[in-house]
Amino acid sequence: MKILGINPWIYDFAAFDFWLKPYGFLGLLSYIQNQGPEITYIDCLEKTIKKDKFGRREFYSQAIEKPPIFSQLKRIYKRYGKTPEEFEQDLPDKTFDYILVTSSMTYWYPAIFETLRIIRKKYPLTPLILGGTYVNLCYKHAKFNLDTKTFLCRNQDLKYLFNKLNLKYSQNHMLNTLVKYQCFYPDLPYLVFRTSWGCPFNCSYCAIKKLSSGFRNIPLKKLINYILDYSKKGIKDFVLYDDAFLYNTAYVKDFLSEIKKTAGNSIRFHTPNALHMRYLNKQVCRLMKETGFVNPHFGIETLEPRIQKDFKNKVNTSQILKGIDILKESGFTPGNFSFYLLLGYPGQDLSQLKKEINFLHKKGARVSLSEFSLIPGSEIFQRYRQRFSEPLLHNNSVFSLIEPSNLETVNKIKNYTRKLNREFD
Ligand code: SF4
């Protein structure tokens, strides 16, 4: 059996390869490949123009026409990654039994539709299967807008999909499958991996429970061998995609102790998905320092107790302050750890946000402002679902929930935060 797997473009006002890989999709393709089928893979985002010392890259981009809903915005809407001509040239002149396409951000759906249109033109008779985050979170929108010949595969449809492919399916085995990057990316500047799936929390702005239920760790020995293997192949930067890496303290201690013993200081870890401050303890933090965690990022979102409660109490301010002490005692000096604060959530007091930025800066933290976006399936989204049924409005670059009169203040706060962070450089 021959399968073509495709990761579509990004259409947006801004995009950067901040260690972006369609990890779930690559795991699924690896799981399929392990059972025999031949996989051909194309990533439309694999056209970049610059790379930094940690492997992060700037995408090649071209200006494209804005969807009418954004016509009033002065910003340039772009396609990130290969040109359509390059993508068409990459599509092999052979037949496939199935074509699998993934999707991520819900508001990138115009890019997905364009990818599907080009695929359909080239392979009019091949069964086309679309899965991923957009399909899981905006199923009705996808169903309404795509032709009935495209099979929409949500996570709960995977069993049916594997039946159709005449392959075995075990969710457990699939989630434990480690991505065979050498089969997908000839040039790999960094490696994205997970030690776990799922998250024990249920933050009101997050839709994790719709995408990944429960919490489970990947078998430790298998994972350690995998990391060492890629480290020997020359990969230096390893990027944790976990949603709750620190949650299972015993597993984390074993994982980091094993890495310390076997990999020494030959690798670096990055945490763009954020870590949970409430599970940071001295032993784990010291191990993080010793195993090469670079500028660990923690998701704290706000210091306001009322909002912390509304977000479902992931962390409180005393845990944050204790965590800062632990970080410093473990050798993470000022400017070498970061906190995500949310910018633009409903009813946010921007003057309070500025106070929080100042407070955290004085404590030695870099602040990463994370622009709030409404995620379908989250509790907060339910409050606004009538107004934001159009997925393009979920885009955090558009600031749909910020009053236009506050936009100037928002930009000032962003510039101010950058200025403070530069003081640590
Ligand atoms: S935001 Fe993070 S901590 Fe909260 S539910 Fe989602 S993944 Fe878990």
Side-chain angles (χ1 to χ4, degrees), residues 199 201-203 205-206 208 243 276 314:
C199 176
F201 291 95
N202 197 11
C203 300
Y205 51 85
C206 177
I208 182 84
D243 298 297
H276 286 82
K314 178 166 79 173

Side-chain angles (χ1 to χ4, degrees), residues 273-285:
N273 275 4
L275 304 169
H276 286 82
M277 197 53 136
R278 75 156 65 202
Y279 297 115
L280 190 71
N281 65 41
K282 282 185 191 168
Q283 196 185 353
V284 164
C285 196

Side-chain angles (χ1 to χ4, degrees), residues 13 94 125 267 279 305 343 365 387:
F13 295 99
K94 63 180 191 185
L125 300 176
I267 60 181
Y279 297 115
L343 168 66
R387 226 170 109 197

Side-chain angles (χ1 to χ4, degrees), residues 58-238:
E58 191 176 320
F59 291 123
Y60 175 80
S61 64
Q62 286 180 323
I64 54 170
E65 203 180 324
K66 265 184 274 202
I69 200 166
F70 295 142
S71 58
Q72 300 301 313
L73 288 179
K74 296 230 167 59
R75 300 176 64 181
I76 299 172
Y77 197 62
K78 292 181 185 170
R79 178 196 316 101
Y80 293 88
K82 296 173 192 251
T83 65
E85 297 73 31
E86 286 164 338
F87 175 49
E88 285 184 45
Q89 276 163 20
D90 283 353
L91 293 171
D93 286 325
K94 63 180 191 185
T95 54
F96 291 96
D97 297 291
Y98 292 96
I99 301 173
L100 270 52
V101 181
T102 191
S103 62
S104 44
M105 296 302 187
T106 56
Y107 46 86
W108 293 342
Y109 77 83
I112 300 158
F113 288 7
E114 180 59 5
T115 311
L116 295 176
R117 192 190 62 75
I118 292 173
I119 299 169
R120 187 52 88 207
K121 195 171 77 180
K122 174 90 179 180
Y123 310 102
L125 300 176
T126 313
L128 193 46
I129 296 147
L130 176 67
T133 306
Y134 162 68
V135 171
N136 275 284
L137 297 185
C138 293
Y139 183 71
K140 280 190 190 154
H141 184 271
K143 194 124 189 111
F144 183 77
N145 288 286
L146 290 167
D147 65 58
T148 50
K149 284 184 282 173
T150 305
F151 174 63
L152 299 177
C153 183
R154 294 163 296 182
N155 291 349
Q156 65 260 44
D157 304 316
L158 281 169
K159 200 169 166 195
Y160 174 80
L161 171 69
F162 276 81
N163 245 329
K164 219 168 135 83
L165 302 180
N166 209 11
L167 297 172
K168 279 189 291 181
Y169 177 66
S170 145
Q171 191 196 40
N172 212 15
H173 286 158
M174 188 182 75
L175 296 182
N176 285 342
T177 300
L178 300 172
V179 172
K180 295 158 83 176
Y181 282 101
Q182 69 279 13
C183 302
F184 305 118
Y185 293 93
D187 175 29
L188 191 65
Y190 56 83
L191 185 137
V192 166
F193 76 106
R194 278 177 174 271
T195 68
S196 66
W197 290 92
C199 176
F201 291 95
N202 197 11
C203 300
S204 47
Y205 51 85
C206 177
I208 182 84
K209 294 284 185 280
K210 293 260 182 255
L211 299 169
S212 191
S213 60
F215 177 87
R216 69 180 81 205
N217 278 116
I218 310 269
L220 188 68
K221 200 159 184 291
K222 179 175 166 173
L223 186 59
I224 297 284
N225 290 338
Y226 176 78
I227 290 174
L228 294 179
D229 195 33
Y230 274 101
S231 164
K232 282 185 200 131
K233 287 183 180 132
I235 299 291
K236 175 111 183 129
D237 292 289
F238 290 81

